[in-house]
Amino acid sequence: MIFKLVGDGRPYPEHGLTHREWAQIPPRQVRLDSLITTKAMLDLHSLLAADSTFYGDLFPHVVQWEGELYLEDGLHRALRAALHQRSILHARVLELPT
């Protein structure tokens, strides 16, 4: 098992963070098997592209809500980590109040 659950959509309330605000959150280690995805599908072109980690934030974005960790952005990075047999990922984690 790579992820805790493969979800499709964001069950948590809208947080409205900008890319700049996400960048202010320090990355921390997160276990892949504790993440719930918010996307059920991924384009293989973005996963396999040589520059897929060049654009955007270097760290995936995770939202912690009601005791669960939701992978909001960075599914291709998480899958690449899994393909390299890593069980831990460095991600920016936003904790939303319940």
Side-chain angles (χ1 to χ4, degrees):
M1 175 199 298
I2 297 173
F3 300 111
K4 180 176 184 176
L5 183 69
V6 175
D8 192 16
R10 301 173 182 173
Y12 50 86
E14 180 63 39
H15 51 72
L17 257 64
T18 65
H19 290 292
R20 183 178 301 261
E21 291 168 325
W22 272 108
Q24 301 303 313
I25 300 172
R28 71 179 208 207
Q29 291 185 345
V30 177
R31 292 187 51 85
L32 289 175
D33 62 4
S34 69
L35 294 173
I36 299 172
T37 69
T38 59
K39 296 176 186 170
M41 299 182 67
L42 174 70
D43 179 17
L44 281 177
H45 290 290
S46 65
L47 175 65
L48 301 174
D51 65 350
S52 70
T53 57
F54 183 74
Y55 301 101
D57 197 342
L58 292 175
F59 301 101
H61 297 172
V62 173
V63 175
Q64 183 175 354
W65 184 65
E66 293 188 346
E68 301 289 354
L69 295 172
Y70 295 93
L71 180 61
E72 180 176 284
D73 184 45
L75 180 57
H76 62 290
R77 287 179 171 86
L79 284 175
R80 277 189 168 202
L83 289 171
H84 286 103
Q85 299 183 359
R86 291 186 227 131
S87 60
I88 293 177
L89 178 72
H90 284 87
R92 300 183 192 280
V93 180
L94 172 65
E95 297 178 19
L96 288 182
T98 56

